[in-house]
Amino acid sequence: MSTKEHYANHLAHFYEWMIGPFHLSQQQQALFFERNHINSKQNTLAIDLGAGHGLQSISLAQLGFTVKAIDFNNHLLQLLNNRKNNLPITTIEAELTTITNFTEQAGIIVCMGDTIAHLNNFEELTLLIQNSYNCLTPSGKFIISYRDYSLELSGNNRFIPVKADDEKILTCFLEYENDKVKVTDQLYEKINAGWELKVSSYYKLRLTETIVNKLLQDTGFLITHSEQMNKMIYTIAEK
C-alpha cells in the first residue's frame, strides 16, 4: 500500500492506542518546545505538517501560536478537531507537499513523529524542505523528528515489539533496501473468544542524520539544536 492507504485502511484505526494516553505524549512535546524556547506572544502562524491527532498542534496553540494543522488522514484530523476545544487550530486534509500549505508566512513549521520518512522519495523531501524554507519568516524555525535508519537490523532484530495489552498486540517487521525501509505492521486483535491478525505494509524513506542535515544545510538552514528522544532524532533548523 501507499503510506496514505496504509493509514486509511490500517494504522489510523489503532493509532491513538499505539501512541498511548494523549495527555502524557502531548505534555512531552510541550516540554520539548518550552525548553527550546519555542513560544509566541503575537499569535504567530505555526504550520504542523503531518499533524495526526494533535500532539504538536495542541502544544503549539497552548504556547500562543495560531496553528494550521495539515494531514492526509481525515480520521486523525477528526480526533484533533474533537479535542482542540477553543484553541486557534485550523485542520486541513492535504498531502504534505501540496503547495497551498505554504502560501502564508509562518514563524515556525514542524514535521514530527517520523513524518518526513512517509514521503515517496528524496526529491519530495527536498521539495518539502525548500517550500518550508521559503514559507518561513526571517529567523523562522523548522523542527523535525525522525528515525535514523543507517544501522540495518538483521535476523530477529527486525521484529520490533511496539505495544501489547489484553486486547491488542502490535509488532513491526523491517526489511531494508538501499534508500527505503519496508515496514509491516502486524496487529493481533482479540475478537470475541479468539484473535484476529491484521497485516499491512508500506515504505519509509531510509533516512540518516547525515542525509537530513545535508539537505537542510544545502537549502540554507542553520541547524541550531539536535537531540535524541525516544529513539528519534529531534532537529531545530533556523532560516
Side-chain angles (χ1 to χ4, degrees):
M1 292 186 181
S2 69
T3 303
K4 185 175 182 178
E5 291 170 333
H6 176 78
Y7 269 76
N9 298 318
H10 191 61
L11 184 55
H13 301 288
F14 56 88
Y15 186 88
E16 271 199 304
W17 168 82
M18 179 183 71
I19 297 298
F22 182 86
H23 69 284
L24 295 179
S25 297
Q26 187 261 316
Q27 183 181 55
Q28 187 177 52
Q29 292 301 311
L31 289 173
F32 169 81
F33 290 138
E34 289 172 5
R35 70 171 178 267
N36 286 289
H37 311 292
I38 306 299
N39 56 68
S40 173
K41 297 179 180 178
Q42 300 176 334
N43 296 320
T44 304
L45 176 64
I47 300 174
D48 185 2
L49 298 171
H53 66 333
L55 295 176
Q56 288 77 39
S57 291
I58 287 178
S59 299
L60 290 168
Q62 290 176 344
L63 290 169
F65 291 92
T66 297
V67 181
K68 185 162 68 172
I70 298 164
D71 202 282
F72 60 31
N73 186 266
N74 181 263
H75 175 73
L76 295 179
L77 289 177
Q78 288 305 314
L79 295 175
L80 171 50
N81 281 324
N82 291 341
R83 61 168 46 102
K84 70 178 183 179
N85 296 318
N86 295 319
L87 290 171
I89 301 173
T90 301
T91 57
I92 300 169
E93 185 177 346
E95 299 285 348
L96 296 186
T97 54
T98 301
I99 192 61
T100 52
N101 296 340
F102 306 96
T103 53
E104 299 176 77
Q105 288 265 279
I108 183 171
I109 298 176
V110 303
C111 191
M112 304 178 76
D114 211 23
T115 300
I116 60 172
H118 293 158
L119 295 168
N120 293 316
N121 49 57
F122 282 95
E123 288 74 20
E124 284 193 4
L125 176 55
T126 301
L127 177 63
L128 180 76
I129 293 172
Q130 184 65 65
N131 286 341
S132 297
Y133 184 88
N134 294 340
C135 179
L136 286 167
T137 56
S139 300
K141 293 180 172 60
F142 183 47
I143 304 178
I144 57 176
S145 64
Y146 60 95
R147 298 187 187 280
D148 188 313
Y149 290 107
S150 56
L151 177 62
E152 181 172 335
L153 301 178
S154 60
N156 293 339
N157 290 327
R158 294 176 296 162
F159 291 88
I160 312 295
V162 180
K163 189 173 182 179
D165 61 20
D166 292 340
E167 303 294 329
K168 295 183 182 72
I169 302 170
L170 177 61
T171 303
C172 286
F173 177 67
L174 306 180
E175 298 172 85
Y176 293 81
E177 299 181 8
N178 286 335
D179 60 353
K180 291 188 176 183
V181 179
K182 185 179 180 181
V183 181
T184 300
D185 287 334
Q186 303 172 107
L187 178 72
Y188 279 97
E189 187 169 16
K190 195 171 187 180
I191 307 294
N192 298 321
W195 289 85
E196 181 178 317
L197 174 61
K198 300 174 182 178
V199 180
S200 178
S201 300
Y202 71 114
Y203 280 96
K204 286 186 175 183
L205 292 179
R206 190 173 176 181
L207 302 175
T208 70
E209 188 171 17
T210 299
I211 290 172
V212 173
N213 284 353
K214 186 176 189 307
L215 289 174
L216 290 169
Q217 291 166 338
D218 286 350
T219 304
F221 279 111
L222 174 67
I223 297 171
T224 59
H225 179 77
S226 181
E227 68 176 78
Q228 289 200 29
M229 183 169 60
N230 297 331
K231 299 181 180 179
M232 299 187 72
I233 297 171
Y234 285 68
T235 299
I236 301 176
E238 186 173 315
K239 181 173 179 178

